[in-house]
Amino acid sequence: MIRIIPIDEAEEPYRAPDLGWDGYVGDLILNGLDHASAPGDFRAEQGLVTQVLILLQTDRRVEDSELRDGEENRGWIGDSFDQMDGEGPLGSRLWLLRRRAIYDGIETDIEDYVREALEPLIAQGAAASMDITVAADRPANRIDYAVTLYGRDGERVYDGKFELLWRQVNGVVHPLAR
């Protein structure tokens, strides 16, 4: 006979596993075997970092009018019909920029997409404000953007840098993308 005993939240709070990002791929992070309390288990120590990665690196569903001819919508289909009051779709619209040339004003679009993606962190109180900087490097076919989140006390609680590459425009594909 098997008996199922629910976990007491006070004793075992749920902690989402941390995600790491190497600039191309995200993955779950494991604790080392020498970790004091959870050797070899999923690391769960950087919840805000993981939330930022999920929000920025997950494709958000968009309106059909935002799609180019022949382009399919991405993101979680539930975002188009299964939202509760006050809830919006999660993820970013950065995927809309793939396979497009770096155009004048793209910096503003990227800042808007990043701000929109991270807005749930402000709405939920995980951060009080954010700064986003975007810089296009046209000769290198890349755009760098940085995100800084601040707590209610004005202290920096997150600082991350990302890049968007347009290598596929020139026929060069990153080795991890094959």
Side-chain angles (χ1 to χ4, degrees):
M1 173 182 218
I2 295 176
R3 194 170 112 186
I4 299 173
I5 302 171
I7 295 175
D8 182 356
E9 281 288 324
E11 291 180 28
E12 291 282 339
Y14 173 75
R15 297 184 320 154
D18 291 345
L19 291 178
W21 181 254
D22 70 1
Y24 299 103
V25 177
D27 202 357
L28 295 168
I29 300 174
L30 297 177
N31 288 328
L33 295 176
D34 59 346
H35 192 274
S37 61
D41 200 353
F42 289 119
R43 188 180 81 186
E45 300 168 358
Q46 297 181 335
L48 185 58
V49 172
T50 296
Q51 289 177 19
V52 169
L53 288 173
I54 289 170
L55 290 171
L56 291 177
Q57 304 306 323
T58 300
D59 297 341
R60 176 188 204 126
R61 287 192 66 76
V62 298
E63 298 296 324
D64 289 339
S65 62
E66 295 179 80
L67 299 171
R68 291 167 40 162
D69 289 339
E71 197 170 43
E72 289 188 36
N73 211 339
R74 297 170 74 153
W76 185 55
I77 190 71
D79 277 345
S80 59
F81 64 85
D82 188 25
Q83 292 179 10
M84 300 177 76
D85 288 339
E87 186 179 69
L90 296 178
S92 77
R93 293 189 291 156
L94 291 169
W95 69 271
L96 290 171
L97 302 175
R98 291 183 187 142
R99 300 184 192 263
R100 298 189 183 161
I102 296 176
Y103 53 87
D104 289 338
I106 195 169
E107 297 91 341
T108 302
D109 288 344
I110 290 172
E111 181 178 345
D112 290 346
Y113 291 173
V114 170
R115 188 172 303 283
E116 173 186 62
L118 297 178
E119 188 58 38
L121 297 177
I122 305 296
Q124 295 169 3
S129 63
M130 70 178 97
D131 285 334
I132 300 162
T133 57
V134 182
D137 183 348
R138 285 171 172 75
N141 246 356
R142 109 181 186 189
I143 296 180
D144 296 321
Y145 66 97
V147 175
T148 305
L149 299 175
Y150 301 93
R152 285 183 276 288
D153 59 1
E155 291 292 317
R156 187 177 311 180
V157 294
Y158 175 85
D159 205 5
K161 294 180 181 174
F162 301 87
E163 66 180 278
L164 299 173
L165 299 175
W166 268 260
R167 291 184 183 143
Q168 71 270 18
V169 172
N170 294 328
V172 177
V173 178
H174 185 275
L176 293 176
R178 292 183 184 169

